[in-house]
Amino acid sequence: MRIVSNGAGPVAATTAPTAGERVESTSAATAAAAAVVAPGAALESAVLKPAAAALASMPEVDEARVAELRDAIARGEIGFDPSKLAGLILRYHGGRG
């Protein structure tokens, strides 16, 4: 067996780290990881801001209006062709299943 030196020199002996030191080490690692992720998060935020604003400006679902339309369809006042709806859904989704 041949031992090759890497030029690093002797390693100093240390005691086992305390719980506080481990937390600090973990915090440092977390901070370093956050620094790497931060540019992507900033980009994501810039991309999502307009979408979030558009979503916030949309009205809530008007349950009374939905019930009114459902009743009108049931009474036959509004025409509804389920085959046409199915065709439109298939066309919109490209026939993917």
Side-chain angles (χ1 to χ4, degrees), residues 63-79:
E63 296 295 332
R65 180 71 174 142
V66 170
E68 182 182 320
L69 292 171
R70 184 177 297 130
D71 292 342
I73 291 170
R75 289 189 303 267
E77 296 172 4
I78 297 176

Side-chain angles (χ1 to χ4, degrees), residues 5-82:
S5 172
N6 64 3
V11 176
T14 62
T15 60
T18 64
E21 290 172 335
R22 287 187 183 142
V23 170
E24 289 173 15
S25 173
T26 302
S27 297
T30 302
V36 172
V37 175
L43 174 64
E44 183 176 298
S45 176
V47 170
L48 291 180
K49 271 187 179 179
L55 183 62
S57 69
M58 292 177 67
E60 293 293 321
V61 174
D62 185 352
E63 296 295 332
R65 180 71 174 142
V66 170
E68 182 182 320
L69 292 171
R70 184 177 297 130
D71 292 342
I73 291 170
R75 289 189 303 267
E77 296 172 4
I78 297 176
F80 175 72
D81 183 358

